[in-house]
Amino acid sequence: MARRTTLSSPGTGKPERIATVLEHEIRSGVLGFGDRLQSENELVQRFSVSRNTIRKGLEELSSRGLITTKVGIGSFVTFDGMPVDDAVGWSRALANAGANAETRTLRLEVMQDGELAARLGVESPFFIAVDRVRSNADDGHAISIERSRLPLSPELEDVPLRGLREGSLHQTLRGAGLVPDHGEEWVDIEMLSAKDAAILDCAPGAPFLRTRRLTRAADGRAIEYVTSLLNPAHFALHLEF
């Protein structure tokens, strides 16, 4: 028997209420990452509304970062339902969230950037550059690029030679006694350059979530400045106030 859903919440438009019902099913795990939603015809019958109302509801759901719709194919869940706590390091955070990710180091060397040094308030213009790309180990699709800049210090000066501790920047910093205490983060959208698109095997100009994060020690010393390009199929911004 076809499932029927009664819409409640007076004062809210039908498309928004449909989106909220489906959002609950996605966030509760009834619909998982990659699952195909019911067809428009099935949703019309389920909610007893017009096809146009269903389409507006799906557009609202897409604007919430939960689904993607492919013309002629259907709508699919793009929300994986798991928060990513990068305070434990990206590799472990993605693993904890159930992502089967693999990491490839693109760059690990000392570089000079006077402009960044001035922006961070550090005296030396020398940094350790750590650039990495992450992809899904199952099918190889892109997850992220992270470009970290670490102010060069005695605690880290041998990192370019010996590599990251256990392959983790998180472990490397803590092993050197550099523990983040506070910081700032900026978030916006960036269209992929041809260079980054080639690295990620994506189309140039594809929109990715860009975060720029500065972490400092308890004494205010800059520890890391990292710019990340995140695939919006895996990441979304959640604010609480």
Side-chain angles (χ1 to χ4, degrees):
M1 177 180 293
R3 177 173 44 158
R4 290 189 178 275
T5 302
T6 301
L7 299 174
S8 56
S9 302
T12 304
K14 286 183 179 180
E16 289 77 15
R17 282 181 274 167
I18 290 170
T20 297
V21 170
L22 296 174
E23 178 178 5
H24 174 73
E25 293 180 358
I26 292 171
R27 292 190 181 278
S28 65
V30 174
L31 292 170
F33 179 80
D35 285 351
R36 185 176 182 273
L37 273 63
Q38 292 172 288
S39 69
E40 287 187 0
N41 286 336
E42 291 171 327
L43 292 172
V44 165
Q45 294 179 16
R46 175 182 172 185
F47 291 102
S48 300
V49 296
S50 68
R51 183 182 296 272
N52 187 52
T53 298
I54 289 298
R55 288 177 176 172
K56 289 181 178 178
L58 294 177
E59 288 174 2
E60 173 63 24
L61 200 60
S62 179
S63 73
R64 298 180 188 182
L66 300 174
I67 67 167
T68 185
T69 298
K70 300 179 180 179
V71 178
I73 300 177
S75 297
F76 299 84
V77 178
T78 55
F79 175 74
D80 63 13
M82 294 294 295
V84 176
D85 178 15
D86 62 350
V88 299
W90 274 111
S91 295
R92 183 176 298 177
L94 289 169
N96 291 345
N100 186 16
E102 60 181 13
T103 303
R104 179 164 53 96
T105 299
L106 304 174
R107 183 184 186 190
L108 179 56
E109 63 184 8
V110 175
M111 61 167 288
Q112 185 173 351
D113 190 334
E115 181 180 340
L116 180 60
R119 194 189 319 163
L120 303 187
V122 298
E123 294 183 3
S124 173
F126 293 100
F127 295 83
I128 297 175
V130 185
D131 295 355
R132 292 165 297 170
V133 60
R134 302 184 195 275
S135 57
N136 184 281
D138 295 325
D139 59 18
H141 74 261
I143 295 178
S144 67
I145 291 180
E146 295 117 44
R147 294 185 170 98
S148 297
R149 301 295 178 261
L150 316 173
L152 187 61
S153 64
E155 301 97 323
L156 299 173
E157 61 184 4
D158 62 342
V159 169
L161 296 176
R162 62 178 173 81
L164 300 178
R165 183 174 181 179
E166 299 177 12
S168 167
L169 182 55
H170 175 81
Q171 294 295 332
T172 300
L173 291 172
R174 277 154 182 74
L178 300 174
V179 180
D181 177 79
H182 61 280
E184 303 173 79
E185 188 161 16
W186 302 265
V187 182
D188 56 19
I189 298 296
E190 179 171 299
M191 305 304 177
L192 287 183
S193 66
K195 177 182 177 181
D196 287 338
I199 293 172
L200 291 165
D201 195 22
C202 294
F208 264 55
L209 190 66
R210 181 179 71 162
T211 66
R212 292 169 292 154
R213 181 173 183 174
L214 170 63
T215 54
R216 296 183 182 274
D219 61 2
R221 174 185 178 185
I223 293 178
E224 178 189 13
Y225 178 78
V226 55
T227 300
S228 301
L229 294 176
L230 310 174
N231 188 333
H234 288 275
F235 298 90
L237 178 64
H238 180 145
L239 301 176
E240 293 185 0
F241 56 91

